[in-house]
């Protein structure tokens, strides 16, 4: 198992995988999630003298930040070993902030690794489709020498298999939903691509309409975060149930069980673990009609997406909440994303890769 940028979601996935498949004997190599540009290009150099690459393996599983093509080139012993790539995200659809250096290197790593892999696993159909679309646009910029059949080949060896949600979260809700004054939960990373400015716009719209609500804003934050969060706390402090990151997992799980509506304003979300966890815990989802949300949020709970018009989208989200308060739907748990449901699918994919000399059969 190779994870060259072992962020929280990557670590969670690989630890789950090891726990779900105890009959396998695992060896794991990880690199800390920092210095992103160096990590995604430099991991083959960091692992250049790693002795385990000289051993004989049955199967290699790498996450999307691993430069699998370079590793296989540097270590010929890997040439005949089935290699699977797990795409938590793809750099063709990942947002680039204004402060970042524009470079196609991360995209090239993703593409070359997908080509070098025998099978590619995506955590959502939207992730796969945006990757393939991005590859097509990238190839369209090549002046000549574009390889034939690359897109169809990537499609052929791709499978959709999400990051599992722990079964323990799928519990019966202990308290009824409060539709008179719903407890809204926004539980995402405190970064621009999760749409905190859109959250502010929605909250301002709810205030204009004098709709009753309570609010919890949680999620992983960093030393530097968008200042709009401070604005939200200042203007809506009277609405707050909880603010900020919850260190204890048990405390977070209790909050999931207490909230009524889990809310997304994200512009990028390749699967949406925080939404799925809250839905499993009994929250009703309200999300924009885009990204991976279409794959598990009920259609009636999706509000119109207006990426180019935040004000219009805020009004659409407020309309969506009003409709939920009027309809009072029951929670819908994402049962197909349960770890116990996905365990057999992972096992089948690995066995298929081994039986087919790496290729999914």
């Amino acid at each position: 198992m190779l994870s060259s940028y072992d962020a929280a979601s990557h670590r969670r996935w690989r630890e789950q995988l090891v726990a779900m498949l105890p009959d396998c004997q695992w060896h794991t190599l990880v690199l800390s999630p920092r210095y992103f540009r160096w990590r995604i290009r430099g991991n083959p150099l960091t692992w250049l003298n790693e002795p385990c690459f000289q051993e004989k393996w049955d199967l290699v599983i790498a996450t999307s930040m691993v430069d699998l093509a370079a590793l296989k080139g540097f270590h010929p012993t890997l040439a005949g070993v089935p290699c699977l790539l797990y795409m938590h995200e793809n750099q063709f659809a990942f947002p680039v902030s204004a402060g970042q250096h524009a470079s196609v290197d991360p995209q090239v790593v993703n593409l070359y690794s997908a080509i070098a892999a025998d099978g590619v696993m995506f955590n959502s159909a939207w992730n796969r489709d945006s990757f393939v679309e991005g590859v097509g646009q990238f190839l369209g910029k090549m002046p000549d020498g574009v390889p034939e059949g690359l897109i169809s080949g990537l499609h052929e060896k791709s499978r959709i298999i999400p990051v599992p949600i722990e079964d323990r979260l799928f519990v019966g809700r202990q308290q009824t939903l409060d539709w008179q004054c719903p407890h809204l939960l926004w539980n995402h990373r405190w970064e621009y691509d999760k749409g905190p400015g859109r959250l502010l716009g929605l909250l301002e719209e709810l205030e204009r309409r004098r709709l009753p609500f309570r609010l919890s804003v949680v999620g992983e934050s960093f030393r530097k975060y968008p200042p709009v969060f401070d604005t939200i706390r200042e203007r809506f402090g009277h609405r707050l149930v909880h603010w900020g990151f919850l260190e204890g997992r048990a405390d977070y799980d209790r909050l999931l069980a207490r909230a009524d509506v889990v809310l997304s304003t994200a512009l990028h979300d390749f699967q949406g673990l925080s939404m799925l966890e809250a839905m499993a815990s009994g929250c009703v989802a309200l999300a924009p009609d885009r990204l991976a949300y279409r794959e598990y949020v009920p259609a009636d709970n999706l509000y119109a997406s207006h990426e180019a018009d935040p004000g219009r989208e805020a009004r659409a989200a407020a309309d969506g909440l009003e409709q939920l308060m009027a309809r009072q739907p029951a929670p819908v748990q994402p049962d197909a994303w349960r770890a116990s449901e996905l365990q057999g699918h992972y096992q089948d994919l690995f066995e298929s890769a081994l039986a087919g000399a790496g290729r999914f059969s």
Side-chain angles (χ1 to χ4, degrees), residues 262-265 275 285-290 293 297 301-304:
V262 61
L263 174 69
S264 176
T265 53
M275 294 291 285
L286 180 63
D289 189 9
R290 59 176 174 251
Y293 302 135
V297 175
N301 297 23
L302 296 170
Y303 60 84

Side-chain angles (χ1 to χ4, degrees), residues 3 41 49 77 85 138 226 249 255 294:
S3 181
R41 289 301 285 139
N49 298 318
T77 52
L85 184 71
F138 178 81
R249 178 69 209 205
L255 181 61
R294 295 171 176 173

Side-chain angles (χ1 to χ4, degrees), residues 270-288:
F270 290 97
Q271 178 174 334
L273 282 174
S274 62
M275 294 291 285
L276 286 159
E277 286 183 338
M279 290 174 68
S281 300
C283 291
V284 171
L286 180 63

Side-chain angles (χ1 to χ4, degrees), residues 153-172:
L154 290 174
H155 256 298
E156 182 181 344
K157 64 179 178 178
S158 294
R159 297 292 183 273
I160 310 301
I161 185 162
V163 174
I165 305 300
E166 293 93 332
D167 282 38
R168 63 179 179 78
L169 292 174
F170 289 80
V171 295

Side-chain angles (χ1 to χ4, degrees), residues 4-15:
S4 62
Y5 195 84
D6 205 43
S9 61
H10 295 213
R11 182 176 65 254
R12 168 183 170 166
W13 171 79
R14 64 172 177 80
E15 289 176 349

Side-chain angles (χ1 to χ4, degrees), residues 119-191:
V120 186
M121 301 175 285
F122 291 87
N123 60 357
S124 71
W126 182 80
N127 189 2
R128 178 201 60 197
D129 294 345
S130 60
F131 173 73
V132 171
E133 180 182 354
V135 170
Q137 294 172 353
F138 178 81
L139 295 178
K141 297 176 182 178
M142 290 182 63
D144 58 18
V146 178
E148 293 185 7
L150 177 57
I151 298 294
S152 60
L154 290 174
H155 256 298
E156 182 181 344
K157 64 179 178 178
S158 294
R159 297 292 183 273
I160 310 301
I161 185 162
V163 174
I165 305 300
E166 293 93 332
D167 282 38
R168 63 179 179 78
L169 292 174
F170 289 80
V171 295
R173 189 176 178 88
Q174 300 300 310
Q175 61 188 53
T176 58
L177 294 168
D178 183 356
W179 290 116
Q180 301 306 309
C181 184
H183 179 182
L184 309 181
L185 172 65
W186 192 94
N187 56 340
H188 308 274
R189 279 184 294 102
W190 287 25
E191 295 185 297

